[in-house]
Amino acid sequence: MKKKYTILLLVTLSIVLCITLAPTLTAKSNNLGAAQFELKPLPYAYDALEPYIDKETMMLHHDKHEKAYLDNLNKVIAKYPELYKKGLEGILKDLNSVPEDVRETVKNNAGGVYNHEFFWSIMSPEKDQTPKGELLKAINKDFDSLDNFKTKFKEAALGRFGSGWAWLVVDNNGNLSIISTPNQDSPISQGLTPILGLDVWEHAYYLKYQNRRGDYIDNWWHVVNWKQVENYFNS
Ligand SMILES: [Fe+2]
């Protein structure tokens, strides 16, 4: 009789242990099986670009807008985990290889994450930098002068109807050009290498500048990280 009770007790304990551990084991398995893109922190404080770009805009822009692109991308990745292995650049450079039923969603959201990470990287709290060296020579060669380049870039940024981006890109021959893209389309999907980019979605400036996109563009030059732009150009 005593042996019977001991067996019953052991069985009960085993069941309780299994129930207790089950969620942990499932969660670990899920974590291992479904890799996800993660939101990288801003490379500086939210208020680092004040007074030109305000803290509240940066918080919303990074924590809400970029996070939303990331979450949407991860939902798709859960369905097609092989996309994770390609990385953001790999996905955007080869959109035709993305399954057709999710291609538009992937383009918009992988672009949203990639473009914003790029955007944070080409701004800096070290204000009022200027382009130098080989980059300045290339700007002078392709646009006559830095002032003329800024004028053309502003035209592209103002001319982008609705939401999108203005870019300074390098083509396969090493020449610079200014383009703009709609939505979250990225230059790398066109075989171009961005070295400078400006987000002209209203979420990037509306809190501080409302409808004055031109003022936002003019002030943005104060926080451009030309050292990083030069790094992108040289590499
Ligand atoms: Fe944005």
Side-chain angles (χ1 to χ4, degrees):
M1 194 68 178
K2 193 176 176 185
K3 191 178 174 186
K4 196 175 172 185
Y5 275 121
T6 305
I7 292 170
L8 190 63
L9 185 65
L10 282 172
V11 169
T12 308
L13 277 172
S14 300
I15 291 170
V16 169
L17 201 61
C18 282
I19 291 170
T20 309
L21 288 178
T24 312
L25 294 172
T26 305
K28 276 184 180 172
S29 172
N30 281 348
N31 283 344
L32 288 171
Q36 301 234 303
F37 290 104
E38 291 179 0
L39 187 66
K40 294 179 185 168
L42 275 180
Y44 32 73
Y46 293 110
D47 62 355
L49 307 180
E50 294 260 14
Y52 306 109
I53 301 182
D54 58 293
K55 179 180 178 181
E56 196 176 1
T57 293
M58 290 302 288
M59 289 177 77
L60 287 168
H61 204 170
H62 177 269
D63 296 2
K64 304 295 181 190
H65 290 280
E66 189 189 353
K67 176 76 162 44
Y69 295 121
L70 188 99
D71 289 344
N72 288 332
L73 178 62
N74 279 331
K75 275 184 204 161
V76 179
I77 298 297
K79 188 178 174 189
Y80 294 104
E82 68 273 16
L83 290 174
Y84 177 79
K85 294 176 194 147
K86 294 169 75 90
L88 284 175
E89 278 202 46
I91 291 170
L92 290 167
K93 284 180 176 173
D94 190 16
L95 285 169
N96 284 336
S97 71
V98 175
E100 203 172 347
D101 62 320
V102 295
R103 192 173 298 154
E104 193 68 18
T105 307
V106 167
K107 180 180 80 163
N108 291 335
N109 292 289
V113 177
Y114 178 86
N115 291 345
H116 283 91
E117 284 184 0
F118 181 86
F119 187 48
W120 314 138
S121 79
I122 54 84
M123 296 190 288
S124 168
E126 188 186 330
K127 297 180 179 71
D128 298 322
Q129 297 183 36
T130 53
K132 297 182 176 71
E134 293 303 311
L135 174 61
L136 183 59
K137 280 186 199 168
I139 288 173
N140 285 333
K141 175 176 81 68
D142 292 328
F143 302 104
D144 296 329
S145 68
L146 180 60
D147 283 345
N148 194 44
F149 158 70
K150 286 185 175 179
T151 300
K152 299 279 183 200
F153 192 91
K154 183 176 180 181
E155 283 172 10
L158 282 175
R160 168 49 54 195
F161 182 75
S163 300
W165 294 73
W167 305 93
L168 175 62
V169 297
V170 184
D171 65 20
N172 286 335
N173 298 318
N175 296 317
L176 295 175
S177 57
I178 295 167
I179 64 166
S180 82
T181 57
N183 307 315
Q184 293 297 349
D185 291 7
S186 184
I188 62 173
S189 302
Q190 302 174 32
L192 298 166
T193 303
I195 61 170
L196 179 70
L198 175 60
D199 187 343
V200 292
W201 283 61
E202 283 189 342
H203 68 226
Y205 62 87
Y206 202 84
L207 282 181
K208 185 175 177 66
Y209 296 96
Q210 293 83 49
N211 61 321
R212 303 186 309 278
R213 187 188 283 189
D215 291 351
Y216 160 65
I217 299 165
D218 291 340
N219 276 337
W220 173 73
W221 293 114
H222 291 284
V223 294
V224 169
N225 184 354
W226 282 108
K227 287 176 190 163
Q228 184 58 52
V229 178
E230 197 169 342
N231 287 340
Y232 287 136
F233 176 70
N234 290 333
S235 63

